[in-house]
Amino acid sequence: MAETGRNMATGIGVYLIIKAALNLILGFSAGNVVTLLVAGVIFVLLCKRIPYTNYIIAIYLALVFLAHFWTNITNLGNGWVYWLYLIEGVLDLLAGAALAFNKSIKAYYQQ
């Protein structure tokens, strides 16, 4: 069960790096560079299996979703990129829920 949790946590870390790189390509800015660096740090933290890191990252992902949700919803008619951002937000929320509530991930961090 812990092996499955490790694979899931690693997958979430890889997703966050890919998402940050895509956002950097879509709109180059200092904020997107910082987000890419943060995604790299999150990936390392997820792999190092530091206790309670999964909960901290889950809270971070929920806050990212909440910070951008209203902007994405109100701008859906302004182009396909906001649909992409909305999908990313939902994936962030699902990833955060998995980090906080999935039994396999919790077992991985409790060992």
Side-chain angles (χ1 to χ4, degrees), residues 24-58:
L24 188 62
I25 291 168
L26 289 175
F28 188 84
S29 70
N32 286 338
V33 171
V34 170
T35 303
L36 182 59
L37 293 173
V38 168
V41 169
I42 287 173
F43 177 76
V44 170
L45 290 174
L46 286 172
C47 291
K48 284 198 169 268
R49 197 167 66 179
I50 299 170
Y52 304 109
T53 304
N54 58 321
Y55 297 115
I56 295 166
I57 295 169

Side-chain angles (χ1 to χ4, degrees), residues 2-23:
E3 182 69 24
T4 303
R6 181 181 69 81
N7 292 338
M8 292 175 73
T10 302
I12 290 170
V14 169
Y15 155 72
L16 291 174
I17 290 173
I18 291 170
K19 177 187 107 154
L22 175 65
N23 286 337

